[in-house]
Amino acid sequence: MKERTLILIKPDAISKKLTGVILDRLLHLDLEMKGAKVREMTEELAREHYSNLAGKPFLPSVISFMRGDLNGITDHRVYAFVFEGEDAISKVRAALGATDPAKADPWTIRGAFGCFKDGVMQNCVHASGCKEDAEREISLWFNPGEVL
Ligand code: IDP
Ligand code: MG
């Protein structure tokens, strides 16, 4: 089924200069890039993006990680993409690997480049988990005219 997914390159990956290698892997999935932008990860945007984590004890640390502060990154930049294609959501999630980098297969993006540090699974990339999440996240991150 043709579907869309939201991908975020998180500040840990940006600061480690991993954007190119991550995008290279994702671009080999035979999906189309429909949207791309640099956006400031405000506290409000982080809370909205991770509304599914409301009430979790590690949420404040995850927000600090997603803004970059946890790693001393102060520009708060995140790179956001919309990819579209057959089974885009499961294809991208498979390329990422498990949420916990220690459990992710070593050939996946999170397994190769992620780590657990300062109480957070620092896993380099976000990708939508299901179709409903994808559409909610895309409308949170992109204006309609920015996704072509
Ligand atoms: P996902 O990114 O694989 O979809 P979610 O459960 O949606 O995983 O969690 C969002 C993010 O919160 C994860 O990518 C990870 O950075 C962080 N996270 C999730 N669960 C934990 C945890 O138990 N401890 C620390 N950080 C976590
Ligand atoms: Mg998730």
Side-chain angles (χ1 to χ4, degrees):
M1 187 202 313
K2 198 168 169 177
E3 59 192 11
R4 306 192 298 173
T5 188
L6 179 86
I7 295 167
L8 302 177
I9 310 271
K10 302 183 183 185
D12 58 326
I14 297 172
S15 72
K16 291 177 186 166
K17 314 291 183 200
L18 292 170
T19 303
V21 74
I22 289 168
L23 275 182
D24 187 58
R25 288 184 179 217
L26 296 176
L27 289 167
H28 279 93
L29 297 177
D30 201 23
L31 303 168
E32 278 186 280
M33 189 192 287
K34 295 287 187 126
K37 64 159 68 166
V38 181
R39 191 165 165 191
E40 182 187 5
M41 180 65 109
T42 61
E43 166 114 20
E44 188 185 30
L45 179 58
R47 278 191 190 283
E48 188 64 35
H49 177 77
Y50 280 135
S51 55
N52 64 309
L53 299 182
K56 298 273 187 198
F58 54 82
L59 179 61
S61 300
V62 169
I63 288 173
S64 177
F65 164 63
M66 290 300 292
R67 279 166 53 74
D69 295 322
L70 192 72
N71 289 315
I73 303 161
T74 54
D75 58 46
H76 302 146
R77 277 198 290 268
V78 166
Y79 302 155
F81 302 90
V82 176
F83 276 43
E84 182 180 288
E86 286 295 312
D87 301 320
I89 292 169
S90 59
K91 273 186 191 165
V92 175
R93 291 288 300 203
L96 258 53
T99 302
D100 182 352
K103 295 195 177 125
D105 290 319
W107 55 86
T108 62
I109 292 168
R110 287 170 164 183
F113 306 120
C115 64
F116 183 89
K117 194 166 152 258
D118 298 327
V120 181
M121 294 168 183
Q122 304 204 8
N123 52 20
C124 300
V125 188
H126 164 84
S128 308
C130 67
K131 211 168 168 138
E132 294 68 37
D133 285 354
E135 291 307 316
R136 184 186 75 83
E137 292 168 5
I138 289 166
S139 57
L140 178 64
W141 281 84
F142 286 85
N143 299 313
E146 296 171 336
V147 183
L148 304 178

